[in-house]
């Protein structure tokens, strides 16, 4: 029997052909109930299995009569009436389903099996159905709830697939003409997806994708942008594509300083991660040399303020940098760019990728001999100044775990470097990599 707290929406093979006798589950004769107790409350007698109290039989008969009136095509498949199969009707359509009850007939422990049509329609409503199963006192109450949910789901799907009126298309064509066809990048045949373009003050091109419904303009479109901050749209039924485009331009101007700062970092340093940063990315991992790097996270709303910094590499390399950062942070000048401030505070020059020699900065993992592994690059480095070999966290974890001499204390593993055999530690940040 399935777990009582889980709603099982299963596609059975017999839904693709007429049901046959072997397709039905045999009754659970001779097996003990999942839990002791009765599915029905009887006020004048102690509960007995399968509701055989003095009022239980009458209550069960009333329930079965109500269920038959509610779902006349849903019929019991065994004498114990723990298996029901048939159809549930809504909006003139019939949908195949099967319900398997435990021997105590509690709906919260039932299993619901749906045809693929019903499963598709109820997609997105599983949590609601599970709640109704947990709180319905009997099968009739649950079927009434399920029927209401099905009616709502069918109505919502009909509205989603209802074609827009002719005014929808004529209005959009008129608005695009007012905005300028040169601002249009893409429009799908149904005019439900529109992509517009704009340039910021620095000449960077940006796109905004609009998802429109048939209720446009009464209903605001969904706006998808590649921004590091949310893009709330002010919208009224009198708004248009031009008003969205104007708000888009204003947002681009507010983020100009942030993108200028990130572009300078991308152009003048070796950015290890992300390899192809998007406009919404606020973090950069920058190579420093000596198998060390710094991860910075810039605040898009205050890009000239000190970013969050985290150094990666051997202790003898990154500890002096951390000391300089704490000692010289007062030198940070908001009038300068973040890159220039980092140079001044850390007292270093960030080497560009074109001039950083391979012998000076080896980034391949010393265990798997690859740079990228499942999207991750080496971020663990041997502290031995004569070694400094980098490793992927997962590679080093598996290596140390296989050594008999390794030991673990909380989330830190102590072992030997695969290259120089000097002591090396791996901190797992509270979880296994």
């Amino acid at each position: 029997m399935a777990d009582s707290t889980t709603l099982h929406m299963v596609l059975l093979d017999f839904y693709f052909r007429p049901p046959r006798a072997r397709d039905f589950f045999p009754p659970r004769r001779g097996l003990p109930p999942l839990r002791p107790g009765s599915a029905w409350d009887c006020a004048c007698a102690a509960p007995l299995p399968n509701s055989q109290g003095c009022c239980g039989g009458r209550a069960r008969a009333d329930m079965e009569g109500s269920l038959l009136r509610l779902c006349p095509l849903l019929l019991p498949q065994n004498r114990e009436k723990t298996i029901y199969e048939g159809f549930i009707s809504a909006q003139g359509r019939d949908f195949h389903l099967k319900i398997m009850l435990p021997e105590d007939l509690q709906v919260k422990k039932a299993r619901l099996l749906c045809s693929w049509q019903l499963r598709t329609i109820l997609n997105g409503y599983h949590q609601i159905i599970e709640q109704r199963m947990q709180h319905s006192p009997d099968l009739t109450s649950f079927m009434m709830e399920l029927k209401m949910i099905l009616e709502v789901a069918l109505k919502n799907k009909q509205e989603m697939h209802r074609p827009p009126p002719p005014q929808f298309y004529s209005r959009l064509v008129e608005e695009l003409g007012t905005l300028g066809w040169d601002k249009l990048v893409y429009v799908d045949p149904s005019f439900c997806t529109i992509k517009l373009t704009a340039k910021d003050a620095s000449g960077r091109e940006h796109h905004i994708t609009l998802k429109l419904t048939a209720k446009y303009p009464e209903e605001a479109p969904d706006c998808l942008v590649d921004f590091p901050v949310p893009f709330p749209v002010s919208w009224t039924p009198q708004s248009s594509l031009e008003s969205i485009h104007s708000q888009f331009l204003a947002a681009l101007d507010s983020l100009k300083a942030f993108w200028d700062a990130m572009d300078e970092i991308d152009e003048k340093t070796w950015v290890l991660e992300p390899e192809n940063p998007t406009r919404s990315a606020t973090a950069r991992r920058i190579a420093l040399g000596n198998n060390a790097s710094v991860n910075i996270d810039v605040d898009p709303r205050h890009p000239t303020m000190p970013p969050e910094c985290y150094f990666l590499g051997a202790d003898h390399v990154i500890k002096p940098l951390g000391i300089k950062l704490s000692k010289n942070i007062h030198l940070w000048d908001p009038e300068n760019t973040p890159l220039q401030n980092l140079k001044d505070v850390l007292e270093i020059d960030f080497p560009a990728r074109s001039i950083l020699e391979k012998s000076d900065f080896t980034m391949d993992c010393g265990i798997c001999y690859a740079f990228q592994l499942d999207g991750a690059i080496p971020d663990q480095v041997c502290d031995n100044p004569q070694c400094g070999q980098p490793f992927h966290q997962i590679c080093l974890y598996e290596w140390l775990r296989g050594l008999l001499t390794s030991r673990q204390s909380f989330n830190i593993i102590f072992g030997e470097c695969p290259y120089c055999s000097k002591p090396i530690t791996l901190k797992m940040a509270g979880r296994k990599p």
Side-chain angles (χ1 to χ4, degrees), residues 51-123:
S51 303
Q52 297 301 318
C54 62
C55 334
R58 184 170 65 253
R60 181 168 182 173
D62 292 341
M63 185 276 291
E64 292 171 355
S66 300
L67 180 61
L68 184 62
R69 289 188 294 271
L70 179 66
C71 301
L73 300 179
L74 184 66
L75 301 175
Q77 302 297 311
N78 58 358
R79 295 183 61 183
E80 292 80 4
K81 297 183 179 179
T82 58
I83 299 176
Y84 283 80
E85 183 173 0
F87 297 86
I88 182 173
S89 303
Q91 296 189 8
R93 298 173 60 184
D94 298 326
F95 301 94
H96 200 176
L97 81 164
K98 185 175 186 177
I99 300 174
M100 301 170 60
L101 297 166
E103 289 190 358
D104 59 8
L105 302 179
Q106 293 188 33
V107 179
K108 65 180 181 180
K109 295 185 293 184
R111 189 179 182 190
L112 178 62
L113 309 176
C114 299
S115 65
W116 69 267
Q117 294 99 334
L118 182 57
R119 183 183 181 186
T120 301
I121 293 172
L122 294 178
N123 185 32

Side-chain angles (χ1 to χ4, degrees), residues 195-209:
K195 182 181 289 188
L196 304 175
T197 183
K199 290 186 177 181
D200 60 24
S202 297
R204 290 177 290 256
E205 188 174 10
H206 304 267
H207 293 156
I208 177 172
T209 301

